[in-house]
Amino acid sequence: MAGSGRISVFASKDLRTLLVALKQVPKDVQKNVRAQTKADAQPIWKEEVQGNVKTRLDQRVLGSTARVRVSNQNVQLESARIGKSLQGGVKPSQIAGGVEFGANREERTTYETTSRRGKRYSVTRRTKRQLPNRNTNGRVIFPASRKAVPRLASLWVQTAFRTLLDTFDKN
């Protein structure tokens, strides 16, 4: 997908070198690299996401749930994976797509309901009215990832090599 915010390891010699180096060091050093990378990357990712938040719904669903997950192979940028249910009972992960990419606000949905007296009848409503207009490029997370990924790739390489050098200097 164009503009998805991914960087191929095969496109960067520094990233390939980093992955090879991380495989050859002890587990405690790998753990230190992951911890340092996460500590440095989390504020950058949060800042980029918060910079694109426009509404309270964006903030509750995407902004306050932005996290970074680091492994020996990659750095994952996440949002809407965690968080308490919103006021209506929906989880952020269930509506993240609609909040990020919008919806057809004029679409009408017809469904059956029952009155207090037990009579069944059909109702037609615009159930996607509270979502933003359709935007296939994303509104919050995708623009944030396009800005953050190059910074985070550079940070990952620098942090890993700095941590490795500090470890070797101690020994």
Side-chain angles (χ1 to χ4, degrees):
M1 171 186 288
S4 67
R6 287 183 169 210
I7 292 180
S8 173
V9 174
F10 302 111
S12 170
K13 186 176 180 186
D14 291 337
L15 289 176
R16 281 195 308 261
T17 305
L18 171 66
L19 292 179
V20 170
L22 282 177
K23 286 180 183 177
Q24 297 175 356
V25 297
K27 298 279 186 208
D28 61 326
V29 176
Q30 292 176 4
K31 182 178 178 182
N32 287 343
V33 169
R34 288 191 305 269
Q36 289 294 324
T37 302
K38 182 172 183 170
D40 292 344
Q42 185 73 34
I44 293 172
W45 177 235
K46 280 265 202 203
E47 174 189 324
E48 291 294 342
V49 172
Q50 293 296 337
N52 291 331
V53 166
K54 294 171 185 70
T55 65
R56 280 183 42 207
L57 185 63
D58 292 346
Q59 176 60 36
R60 291 287 310 272
V61 174
L62 302 172
S64 63
T65 60
R67 301 286 186 274
V68 174
R69 190 182 332 176
V70 180
S71 71
N72 286 347
Q73 290 82 31
N74 62 29
V75 177
Q76 289 183 334
L77 308 175
E78 299 178 338
S79 189
R81 289 277 187 110
I82 60 163
K84 295 191 322 185
S85 295
L86 301 179
Q87 190 173 5
V90 68
K91 293 201 174 290
S93 59
Q94 292 172 325
I95 62 169
V99 173
E100 174 70 12
F101 298 106
N104 179 2
R105 297 181 57 167
E106 300 302 321
E107 182 179 326
R108 295 172 187 263
T109 304
T110 302
Y111 57 91
E112 293 284 322
T113 188
T114 307
S115 71
R116 290 182 184 158
R117 294 185 177 192
K119 183 180 177 188
R120 296 192 54 80
Y121 60 97
S122 61
V123 177
T124 301
R125 297 203 170 115
R126 292 186 186 111
T127 56
K128 298 178 183 174
R129 200 63 168 190
Q130 72 275 17
L131 296 174
N133 287 324
R134 194 85 176 125
N135 181 350
T136 56
N137 291 325
R139 298 176 44 252
V140 179
I141 300 301
F142 272 49
S145 71
R146 283 191 286 272
K147 288 182 188 173
V149 164
R151 286 176 63 191
L152 293 174
S154 174
L155 174 90
W156 188 30
V157 171
Q158 292 170 12
T159 303
F161 283 123
R162 185 182 68 228
T163 306
L164 290 172
L165 288 175
D166 290 345
T167 304
F168 292 134
D169 285 344
K170 289 179 185 175
N171 294 334

